[in-house]
Amino acid sequence: MSTKQTFSWSLEKILEKLSEIVIQINEFGDRESILQCAVAETRVLLQTDRVIIYRFLPHGDSAVLAESVGGEWPPMLGQLIDDPCFETTWLKGYSQGQTSSIADINSGHIPACHIELLDRLQVQANLVVPILLDGKQQQSPKLWGLLIAHQCRSPRQWEPLDIQILQHVAVQLSLRMRQLESHHPVLPNQPPQLETAPAQTVTNIERVNRQNSLEPDSACSLSGDIIHLRAFDLLQNPIWIFDIEHWQMRWANQASLYLWNAATRQELTSRNFSDVSESTRVRLQSYLQQFEQGQTLSERWTFNPAGEPVSVGCRCSGIRIDGGRLAMLVQGTIETVDRIEPETLRSIEALRHTTLMVSLYSLEGLLLLQNQAALRCYGNTDNAFVSRFVDDQVGERAMAVLKSGEVFSAEAQVITLAGIRWHEMDVRCSNDPVTGNPMWLVNEKDITDRQQTETALQQSEARLSEAQRVAQIGNWEWDVITSKITWSPQLFEIVGRNRALGEPTYEENLQLYHPESAEQLHQLVLRSLSHGEPYRLRLRVLGVNGSIRYIEGRGQVQL
């Protein structure tokens, strides 16, 4: 199973490191120094075991021109590598700018010849990005080489940020190699505009304030370093800064505009986000307090950019904007379909289309998530769990039961978009798969129609019982399969049987009549069962004191 590499650096430091790599690539004048700098610094940035540059030489040969590798792994520098799978499997894709990401060489979908090569090199996971040189005039780009990262100690689930880092370095190398091959003078390649500078006559925050008086191109980290926001546009991950105090988007990179359904950055930053629930305000204000203490929060948010939900892992931290105020920097990672397990995808699809209402709440009773059925029932609201009930005491009783570790099950009236409805619900404690914190899982089913039917039936039975009492009519049923007999309350009075004795068996029922009447009744019942014919007869009932009462009996078979 592949492992997930987690960067120990902040995104700001990663961008700063990328800037340093680009600067060094452009400062060195010889190819060997350029390539060696690129692999060494990239390996540090990716925190991986080996990074190489694999060059395609004239006459079909290829070799490792530059390498940075950990001491425990065999070096590859200068080796000519024969990959029998390369031309048939990889060459066309790399020539078109495609990347290759293998999280685990033993995953089962890799050609055997390539697995053999990687295994010989002690590679368990690799990431490959092509280095392409622009063709002359209308010619297609030329595949100059490959920038490759190896994970040797274990499999590794490569993140989108890993791929973007390698792609960015490969682009800078392609530009630099083109310059060297064409003997052009070295020109700046517009490296990421992320830099740090010590405070001089004015503080960094004051410098940011002046720049932001025109447009928000800069912000300030909690440590006081200036962050040039344009550098974030280099990344394909969505990144934005939200001003919690003014409830406005302060800045967003191009990749985040899609999530927010915004055509331009100006459109997004002009929106007013103040129409939020009180619980959301309280939650975000608590975030500011945690950011002040240097904490970072991880959450999973769902966006609907094109009418379809997109799950985004959000890493939230503090960042200084104008006036030194603290805002929220959000770094998103979109969970792409090919990285989600098939079982998870099917579960999500089933949850989306089921008529069962499913909601998740925090232990404080705040809404975390609801599926489409729950959304149609309650609407897009942040209402607390207790406020859903017509009777608040039901919600409070549920919370008390849940806090004791028990499962709460009940039928209760709730307030929905369609008015007051009856819901059958099951509430239990579970763990949030995103944060690991305890949460409440609520399953609900609308039983209003059933409740109304049961109520109508109870009322009908009550009216029938009253009518039978007034008319001195009783009825009984005999389930032939189970031999169970059911009597109406009035029948006990008619035949003079004590209710404490309960309903008699079929044989006991016959003993309540005169022997001749009992035999008549039994024969008619048998005939009715065999032919389906109804019967009607006069019966003599034996009283407790030996007296005889006459009653009329009617019966029919029901299937």
Side-chain angles (χ1 to χ4, degrees):
M1 180 175 290
S2 62
T3 58
K4 189 175 182 178
Q5 185 79 14
T6 303
F7 280 108
S8 59
W9 297 356
S10 67
L11 183 59
E12 296 92 335
K13 290 298 182 183
I14 292 172
L15 289 172
E16 183 178 355
K17 188 67 176 178
L18 273 176
S19 294
E20 294 174 359
I21 293 174
V22 174
I23 291 171
Q24 292 180 58
I25 287 175
N26 285 287
E27 284 180 344
F28 287 116
D30 63 289
R31 189 180 69 181
E32 182 179 351
S33 298
I34 293 170
L35 299 183
Q36 192 56 44
C37 166
V39 295
E41 297 299 332
T42 302
R43 186 168 80 88
V44 172
L45 190 53
L46 288 180
Q47 303 174 37
T48 193
D49 298 318
R50 182 194 289 124
V51 174
I52 65 171
I53 292 178
Y54 183 67
R55 173 73 200 281
F56 300 108
L57 303 175
H59 311 297
D61 294 330
S62 55
V64 177
L65 292 191
E67 178 186 36
S68 176
V69 62
E72 62 268 46
W73 310 110
M76 298 173 57
L77 185 63
Q79 291 186 25
L80 295 174
I81 299 176
D82 179 27
D83 185 352
C85 299
F86 181 78
E87 185 168 352
T88 58
T89 307
W90 312 106
L91 179 59
K92 182 178 179 181
Y94 290 148
S95 299
Q96 295 174 347
Q98 297 177 11
T99 63
S100 170
S101 171
I102 299 176
D104 185 352
I105 66 170
N106 298 310
S107 60
H109 64 278
I110 305 169
C113 54
H114 195 54
I115 294 178
E116 183 180 344
L117 171 65
L118 295 176
D119 189 56
R120 188 169 70 248
L121 299 173
Q122 299 185 16
V123 176
Q124 296 198 48
N126 79 337
L127 181 61
V128 184
V129 172
I131 302 173
L132 299 170
L133 300 190
D134 291 337
K136 297 179 180 180
Q137 297 178 352
Q138 302 300 321
Q139 295 178 359
S140 300
K142 180 182 69 173
L143 183 61
W144 185 89
L146 302 173
L147 180 59
I148 305 174
H150 285 162
Q151 189 78 4
C152 301
R153 68 186 72 248
S154 66
R156 172 170 173 174
Q157 181 67 56
W158 301 100
E159 293 296 304
L161 186 57
D162 300 330
I163 300 173
Q164 292 176 46
I165 288 172
L166 216 59
Q167 285 177 322
H168 188 71
V169 175
V171 168
Q172 298 302 322
L173 285 173
S174 67
L175 293 172
R176 195 69 177 91
M177 293 303 102
R178 185 66 172 157
Q179 291 168 357
L180 292 179
E181 290 189 1
S182 60
H183 306 291
H184 286 172
V186 177
L187 297 174
N189 282 325
Q190 297 181 343
Q193 301 298 309
L194 180 67
E195 56 186 81
T196 59
Q200 297 178 358
T201 56
V202 295
T203 66
N204 285 339
I205 291 180
E206 290 171 340
R207 190 176 302 144
V208 168
N209 291 345
R210 294 179 182 178
Q211 293 172 349
N212 285 341
S213 63
L214 298 175
E215 56 181 356
D217 287 337
S218 303
C220 195
S221 69
L222 297 184
S223 61
D225 295 332
I226 291 179
I227 299 171
H228 290 270
L229 302 178
R230 284 192 300 269
F232 290 142
D233 273 327
L234 295 169
L235 300 180
Q236 297 173 15
N237 286 45
I239 298 170
W240 63 89
I241 297 175
F242 187 74
D243 185 350
I244 296 176
E245 184 177 334
H246 291 164
W247 297 103
Q248 286 186 317
M249 194 69 71
R250 178 67 183 178
W251 186 89
N253 71 347
Q254 292 296 322
S256 64
L257 298 183
Y258 167 73
L259 290 178
W260 290 99
N261 275 324
T264 64
R265 188 150 46 208
Q266 182 178 4
E267 177 193 340
L268 180 59
T269 55
S270 64
R271 293 180 185 174
N272 187 345
F273 291 87
S274 61
D275 186 20
V276 296
S277 66
E278 185 62 28
S279 60
T280 300
R281 289 181 179 273
V282 172
R283 187 168 75 249
L284 291 183
Q285 288 296 331
S286 71
Y287 287 0
L288 286 180
Q289 298 174 9
Q290 296 177 70
F291 296 155
E292 285 283 7
Q293 300 171 6
Q295 297 183 25
T296 298
L297 306 174
S298 294
E299 296 184 344
R300 184 158 299 281
W301 298 353
T302 300
F303 293 81
N304 291 275
E308 290 294 328
V310 176
S311 181
V312 181
C314 296
R315 182 176 181 270
C316 308
S317 57
I319 190 168
R320 299 286 180 188
I321 55 176
D322 53 290
R325 294 186 298 109
L326 195 59
M328 179 171 65
L329 171 65
V330 182
Q331 305 164 34
T333 302
I334 298 177
E335 192 72 37
T336 54
V337 171
D338 59 347
R339 292 174 53 204
I340 303 178
E341 294 294 330
E343 293 79 5
T344 303
L345 282 175
R346 294 185 181 110
S347 298
I348 293 173
E349 191 67 10
L351 188 64
R352 184 185 304 170
H353 295 290
T354 180
T355 57
L356 186 69
M357 291 163 276
V358 181
S359 306
L360 301 178
Y361 287 87
S362 68
L363 293 188
E364 293 75 29
L366 300 179
L367 182 64
L368 300 176
L369 178 143
Q370 54 187 359
N371 72 342
Q372 291 297 318
L375 185 63
R376 289 192 296 269
C377 175
Y378 293 107
N380 191 6
T381 174
D382 289 337
N383 285 348
F385 175 68
V386 174
S387 64
R388 287 193 169 182
F389 296 94
V390 173
D391 184 355
D392 290 345
Q393 293 183 356
V394 176
E396 293 170 357
R397 188 167 67 252
M399 294 181 71
V401 170
L402 291 166
K403 288 177 180 178
S404 68
E406 301 294 327
V407 175
F408 178 78
S409 299
E411 295 179 356
Q413 287 183 302
V414 293
I415 303 170
T416 73
L417 295 178
I420 296 176
R421 306 285 291 180
W422 277 95
H423 280 193
E424 179 182 51
M425 61 180 57
D426 173 285
V427 190
R428 61 191 64 222
C429 194
S430 183
N431 288 325
D432 190 333
V434 177
T435 65
N437 297 328
M439 65 177 184
W440 292 338
L441 171 62
V442 182
N443 296 303
E444 298 175 72
K445 180 171 64 175
D446 193 314
I447 58 169
T448 305
D449 291 343
R450 192 193 79 189
Q451 280 283 351
Q452 291 174 346
T453 300
E454 290 179 353
T455 300
L457 180 59
Q458 291 171 359
Q459 293 173 348
S460 177
E461 289 177 345
R463 288 194 293 267
L464 175 61
S465 178
E466 178 62 16
Q468 288 183 339
R469 186 189 66 79
V470 173
Q472 292 189 341
I473 297 174
N475 67 284
W476 62 278
E477 296 178 2
W478 177 36
D479 189 324
V480 180
I481 297 176
T482 63
S483 295
K484 177 176 175 57
I485 285 186
T486 304
W487 277 19
S488 69
Q490 188 63 25
L491 187 57
F492 282 91
E493 297 182 13
I494 293 174
V495 301
R497 181 178 176 84
N498 190 342
R499 291 194 184 185
L501 298 176
E503 287 94 342
T505 64
Y506 179 73
E507 290 75 16
E508 291 174 340
N509 183 66
L510 292 177
Q511 294 174 8
L512 297 174
Y513 305 101
H514 186 277
E516 292 181 2
S517 293
E519 181 63 23
Q520 277 184 299
L521 176 61
H522 178 59
Q523 292 302 323
L524 287 175
V525 168
L526 293 179
R527 181 177 178 81
S528 182
L529 289 173
S530 61
H531 294 81
E533 298 176 355
Y535 67 83
R536 177 177 180 179
L537 78 164
R538 183 178 295 272
L539 297 170
R540 289 176 287 175
V541 179
L542 298 176
V544 178
N545 55 2
S547 61
I548 295 178
R549 297 180 62 194
Y550 291 88
I551 64 172
E552 183 179 276
R554 300 180 184 183
Q556 64 182 21
V557 175
Q558 291 183 341
L559 299 179

